[in-house]
Amino acid sequence: MANLALAVLWAFTALGGWAEQAFCGLGDARDQVCVADVRDAVLVSLAAVVPAAGIVLVSVAFHLLRRVPDRLVGMLTAAAFLWVVAEAVVFFGGHLARTS
């Protein structure tokens, strides 16, 4: 459940436009350079999102993994860590976009 919540948070932040609104403003007053820089940060965050999503899908899909609780917990913890890293990349990238 935590991984799902983190995935939804990342999706709204990166794909839903929350990061662009937070760091570049609303409406026509947006700085297009800032928006482009935030989108670049989102692209960089994909380096953590893709493995995180893969780990979650693999851990849910394979019954063998679900029967070994320690392995499942380790995989889901690693995925949660990667979601947090992806969110941090978007945050710091957006902060850098705003200050430049």
Side-chain angles (χ1 to χ4, degrees), residues 38 48 66 76 85 98:
V38 169
R66 285 192 274 164
L76 292 177
V85 167
R98 187 173 78 187

Side-chain angles (χ1 to χ4, degrees), residues 8-86:
V8 169
L9 176 64
W10 179 86
F12 282 138
T13 301
L15 306 175
W18 286 5
E20 292 173 8
Q21 290 178 3
F23 294 110
C24 303
L26 296 171
D28 296 334
R30 285 188 188 182
D31 178 14
Q32 294 305 317
V33 174
C34 178
V35 170
D37 289 345
V38 169
R39 289 183 183 162
D40 289 343
V42 169
L43 289 176
V44 171
S45 75
L46 287 175
V49 168
V50 171
I55 290 170
V56 170
L57 291 175
V58 166
S59 65
V60 169
F62 291 110
H63 294 283
L64 177 63
L65 294 174
R66 285 192 274 164
R67 292 187 185 139
V68 182
D70 291 338
R71 187 180 307 162
L72 179 64
V73 168
M75 289 179 69
L76 292 177
T77 301
F81 176 75
L82 288 171
W83 286 115
V84 171
V85 167

